[in-house]
Amino acid sequence: SQQGEEDPQALSIQEGENATMNCSYKTSINNLQWYRQNSGRGLVHLILIRSNEREKHSGRLRVTLDTSKKSSSLLITASRAADTASYFCATGAMNRDDKIIFGKGTRLHILP
Amino acid sequence: GAGVSQTPSNKVTEKGKYVELRCDPISGHTALYWYRQSLGQGPEFLIYFQGTGAADDSGLPNDRFFAVRPEGSVSTLKIQRTERGDSAVYLCASSLSGPTDTQYFGPGTRLTVL
């Protein structure tokens, strides 16, 4: 089954710096999604990037997708304390009935 | 509704008891998903509904777990003879038509089995 695996597992950076998280997966995908989770509760959808897209922006977020390397990156620019959270990538189905698989996440900590 | 809602937000039960967890998806979303998340882990897929039917229940860990969505909207996850290992946050999500769409998550139900 397809699976997103994030790295690093944990990341601590100073407020104002940029944070980069990576995701690798194993099989062909229709799309890849990034989610944020605070305090172990509900996930918040950040960005969906489709397999025919290479880069996508949303505010301070930039996501890239390299289907040849089966990898994606999430860049958060000018980090803020409120960005402290866990970030997950989820690989989206090729087929309508295929389920999405989440990785274990990157725990990002923004230091004041 | 405005978003996915789940009730209860917390459930504490004793080993061996039966529990039901409820999910109210976003109105008009035909796809509904249940996940389980343990501390420090990503969400683990349990079951996916397309309308009233379970399109994929391959993630249900054993026959103590069952889920229904009788009218294609609200879903209930049922766990029989709960075990301590069932303790986790149970997350529900919905999407417009299927897994190729963005999933919107509820706040989760934290289940603790004593």
Side-chain angles (χ1 to χ4, degrees):
Chain A
S1 63
Q2 50 213 1
Q3 179 180 29
E5 298 238 352
E6 298 88 346
D7 105 271
Q9 291 186 350
L11 178 63
S12 292
I13 61 171
Q14 293 294 138
E15 191 169 13
E17 293 181 341
N18 297 340
T20 300
M21 289 159 273
N22 302 296
C23 171
S24 59
Y25 57 93
K26 296 178 182 175
T27 61
S28 297
I29 59 171
N30 173 279
N31 64 68
L32 187 144
Q33 304 178 39
W34 284 92
Y35 289 83
R36 184 184 73 225
Q37 185 177 43
N38 293 85
S39 303
R41 300 306 287 263
L43 283 81
V44 174
H45 180 259
L46 296 177
I47 285 186
L48 181 152
I49 185 166
R50 301 203 180 275
S51 59
N52 61 353
E53 297 176 307
R54 291 295 167 259
E55 187 170 311
K56 208 161 181 180
H57 297 252
S58 176
R60 294 183 295 112
L61 306 180
R62 181 173 78 106
V63 167
T64 62
L65 180 63
D66 187 335
T67 53
S68 66
K69 295 181 179 177
K70 292 187 169 58
S71 68
S72 173
S73 68
L74 170 66
L75 169 68
I76 304 174
T77 60
S79 62
R80 304 168 182 170
D83 295 329
T84 294
S86 291
Y87 291 82
F88 296 91
C89 70
T91 48
M94 284 295 292
N95 301 312
R96 178 181 173 79
D97 293 328
D98 285 348
K99 55 185 175 282
I100 283 186
I101 305 293
F102 283 83
K104 292 184 178 180
T106 292
R107 287 175 293 286
L108 175 65
H109 187 83
I110 307 300
L111 304 168
Chain B
V4 179
S5 61
Q6 291 185 246
T7 55
S9 56
N10 286 283
K11 176 71 177 178
V12 180
T13 190
E14 293 180 343
K15 180 176 178 294
K17 299 290 187 183
Y18 167 83
V19 297
E20 290 189 351
L21 311 179
R22 176 188 166 109
C23 172
D24 255 291
I26 292 172
S27 177
H29 281 194
T30 62
L32 184 146
Y33 315 80
W34 283 99
Y35 296 86
R36 178 170 70 174
Q37 187 176 26
S38 300
L39 194 63
Q41 302 294 313
E44 172 194 4
F45 171 82
L46 296 177
I47 186 169
Y48 150 51
F49 284 93
Q50 186 59 250
T52 60
D56 185 345
D57 64 357
S58 62
L60 295 177
N62 51 60
D63 61 6
R64 294 187 298 105
F65 288 75
F66 188 71
V68 295
R69 196 187 184 198
E71 297 177 359
S73 177
V74 171
S75 176
T76 304
L77 178 65
K78 309 181 181 193
I79 310 174
Q80 297 178 321
R81 304 183 303 280
T82 52
E83 300 177 356
R84 292 196 179 87
D86 298 335
S87 296
V89 175
Y90 288 81
L91 297 165
C92 175
S94 69
S95 68
L96 188 59
S97 62
T100 56
D101 300 321
T102 298
Q103 295 187 19
Y104 297 89
F105 281 79
T109 293
R110 185 180 299 280
L111 175 66
T112 303
V113 182
L114 301 176

